[in-house]
Each structure stands twice: as C-alpha cells, then as structure tokens.
Amino acid sequence: MTRPQEPLTRRTDGTTGPGPLLPPPGGVLWTLVGDVRGLLMFPAALTLQVAHPAVGAGVDEHSVFRTDPWGRGERSLRSLQLWVYGGDAAAEEGRRLRRLHRTVRGTDSRGRRYHALTPEYYAWVHATGFPVHRHAIRYLYRPFTEAQERRLYEEWLRVGRVLGIRDKDMPGTIEEFWPYYRKVLADELEANDVVRELVATDPRLPPPALGPLPLRLLLRLCWPLVLPRFLRLRRFLTIGLMPPDAREAIGLPWTDEQERRLRRFGRVVRAVVPLLPERLRYLPQAREARRRARAEGRWSPVRVGRRSTPRRTG
C-alpha cells in the first residue's frame, strides 16, 4: 500500500490547491465513525491515548475532562465526525486542533518535558484509533478481511493528514505499523492517574446536561441509580474493547468470564443495531453527510466485515 497523495481540491474560497485526501463517501470510516457502535469504542481509544505519559500528563494538566466530562466528550466526538464527514470543514478543524494544542506543554510522570504538538505524541493520539477499531469490530460488527483492514488503515492515514500529521511521523503501511505500535506499548505505556480515573467505578460524575429537557430532568432524577451501572459498563467496555496487548501493557485486568460476557454483548449488538433505521443508527453529522453524498451521486458503500465469530486474541 502506498500513501495517499494530496490532490488538487476546491477550497472554501473557490480557489484550487493541494489539500488532504479525505476518506471517501461510503468507505470504511464513513460506515464506522458515525455508527452508534462507535460510541462504545470511544472510551477504549481515549484510555489507550492517555496511557502514554506525555499524553496523560497533557490531559491531566490541561483538559477539562474532570470538570466538564460530558461537554469534553461531545466536543471530541463532534471533531472526529468532522475529520471524516466534514468536507471543506475537515481541514479547518485540523488547523483548529493544532492551534488549540500550541500551549499544551509541561513535564510528564517520567520527568520529561512534553509539548502536545511534538510529532511522536501527536501521532500516537491519532494512531490509537486503528488498533482499537480493528479489535472492537470483531465484537460489534464482523471481523475484517485483510483487504478491509488495509483499507481502514489507508483511510486512517488520510485522516492523519487532515490533522497535520506528517508522512514521516506515521507508519505508511500496516506492516510498518505493528512494530511501531508494539514499541510504544513496550517502552511507554503506563497506568497513570488519568487511566485509573477513566476505568474507575467510583468517581462522582455529574448527570449529562445534554439532549432534550425532559431527558435531562429524568436523568438527573434517576442518576443515583444509573451512575454505578454506567460506570461499571464503561469500565467493562473500555478494557474489553481495548486490544489485548495494549490492555496487558497498561496492566488492566481481564478475565475469561469477562471475555465471554463481551462476546455475548457483541452478539446482541450485531443483531440489533443493523435493524435500526438510519436516523437511530447514525449520529446527526453522519446522517446528513450520507444523505448529501447519495443526493450528489457520490455514494459507493463498502461491505464491512465478513461473517464469522471473533477469534480470541488475548
């Protein structure tokens, strides 16, 4: 596989020039990222990101994930949707994120100076999405074929370009990715304070102030009963949908019984979600992008996954 080249694209001001090659309508990421099952993968990817000492320190010292956890999650999800479905807005979102991270700097848990835009740290944050998607798909969708895995990685590289990640900072092929990934697991990852908070089952998490007013009021009323169950489910999915080698490198426990529960959970999700209408299955940005692509004749959907059961990978 060769790296995607930057073609001439139409800018928002009407001029033509080089720009990042975005994931194609109907491609693998168009199918995965806007699907509600992507919400289940999100905590595992975030936890794998912050297990890197530099990333964990940046989040610990500069993020509002403790004071505004729901708003922080919503903004991250909206940003992710823009990378894939945003069209002209995707490149601007990439520039915005780089501007936002210019002042994020400090000292990590190993006494090393860090800056959020240091290429190896910035690339790691993006790189984690590929192994998490690849692993979680085996439970929530169907296992990928080799060709689909390669296409997923190719499209993930395209998103990296949107974020301003240089070719030399991300492995160009799957064959190059795995040695890079395993080296980070072996040399860097740790169960730092942020990781422990993201898998804890006892934090004081406020009810979400999102959605229609009746739903917010109902959640506020029921939150003392809902919160413990939500936190246990979050921990279960965070650890279970993380690749086993990453889980082991961080030191997160996982039992055979939990693996069996995750498989049962996955079977239910695989049976139910495909039956949902598009307005319930896809997030708003994805629904609108899919509708627009179909109307403009740019829609060429791919089949995601093959029909088999997930293999035990850890």
Side-chain angles (χ1 to χ4, degrees):
M1 184 186 74
T2 59
R3 283 189 181 275
Q5 298 301 307
E6 294 190 354
L8 294 181
T9 58
R10 181 70 60 180
R11 299 193 183 104
T12 54
D13 61 3
T15 61
T16 299
L21 186 63
L22 302 178
V28 175
L29 286 181
W30 272 60
T31 301
L32 296 178
V33 169
D35 190 300
V36 293
R37 285 171 282 190
L39 298 175
L40 303 178
M41 307 180 202
F42 194 63
L46 175 60
T47 304
L48 185 53
Q49 291 170 10
V50 301
H52 190 292
V55 180
V59 170
D60 190 20
E61 298 170 5
H62 297 274
S63 175
V64 296
F65 83 99
R66 293 188 182 95
T67 57
D68 184 23
W70 300 106
R72 178 68 181 85
E74 182 188 29
R75 290 189 293 274
S76 295
L77 185 62
R78 189 186 312 127
S79 183
L80 172 60
Q81 301 283 297
L82 279 174
W83 306 345
V84 176
Y85 304 108
D88 289 343
E92 175 52 37
E93 176 64 8
R95 291 189 289 269
R96 185 191 72 83
L97 288 173
R98 293 186 71 84
R99 291 194 299 269
L100 183 68
H101 287 87
R102 283 175 185 166
T103 59
V104 176
R105 61 181 74 228
T107 304
D108 71 15
S109 61
R110 301 182 184 182
R112 301 174 301 189
R113 300 292 297 172
Y114 72 84
H115 186 280
L117 294 180
T118 298
E120 65 180 286
Y121 305 152
Y122 202 63
W124 172 251
V125 170
H126 178 59
T128 55
F130 173 68
V132 169
H133 273 85
R134 177 181 177 270
H135 177 65
I137 281 164
R138 300 178 179 188
Y139 298 89
L140 305 178
Y141 292 81
R142 300 289 178 183
F144 268 16
T145 64
E146 182 179 347
Q148 289 166 341
E149 285 191 7
R150 289 182 179 278
R151 181 161 182 174
L152 172 61
Y153 190 71
E154 178 185 348
E155 292 185 17
W156 205 244
L157 285 177
R158 295 186 185 192
V159 172
R161 286 185 165 217
V162 172
L163 300 177
I165 296 173
R166 302 172 302 183
D167 287 355
K168 65 181 182 179
D169 297 323
M170 274 285 289
T173 67
I174 288 181
E175 289 79 9
E176 294 170 347
F177 176 81
W178 294 119
Y180 153 79
Y181 167 74
R182 294 185 187 106
K183 188 175 189 307
V184 177
L185 296 191
D187 296 348
E188 295 287 352
L189 298 199
E190 62 182 21
N192 53 44
D193 289 343
V194 181
V195 168
R196 285 188 283 269
E197 288 185 50
L198 291 178
V199 297
T201 58
D202 59 352
R204 298 181 60 183
L205 193 67
L210 306 170
L213 179 60
L215 177 61
R216 296 201 304 269
L217 293 176
L218 179 62
L219 276 173
R220 188 179 303 171
L221 179 65
C222 301
W223 197 239
L225 295 175
V226 172
L227 178 60
R229 292 170 174 81
F230 169 77
L231 292 174
R232 288 195 295 271
L233 178 63
R234 184 183 70 171
R235 176 184 173 89
F236 174 69
L237 292 176
T238 298
I239 299 176
L241 295 181
M242 186 179 294
D245 49 2
R247 176 197 305 155
E248 182 178 352
I250 300 171
L252 297 175
W254 188 249
T255 67
D256 289 342
E257 172 56 29
Q258 288 174 313
E259 176 69 19
R260 289 190 288 270
R261 286 171 51 204
L262 182 61
R263 287 168 176 261
R264 293 194 294 269
F265 177 84
R267 284 196 293 269
V268 173
V269 170
R270 293 198 306 273
V272 172
V273 174
L275 300 178
L276 297 176
E278 187 165 287
R279 63 186 176 84
L280 296 179
R281 179 175 172 180
Y282 286 94
L283 301 175
Q285 285 172 278
R287 288 201 309 270
E288 174 57 24
R290 290 163 65 89
R291 182 201 64 77
R292 189 168 56 248
R294 285 193 294 263
E296 296 171 356
R298 297 184 294 114
W299 187 250
S300 180
V302 298
R303 179 183 176 84
V304 173
R306 62 177 184 267
R307 291 193 172 276
S308 65
T309 56
R311 299 185 303 273
R312 180 65 183 264
T313 56

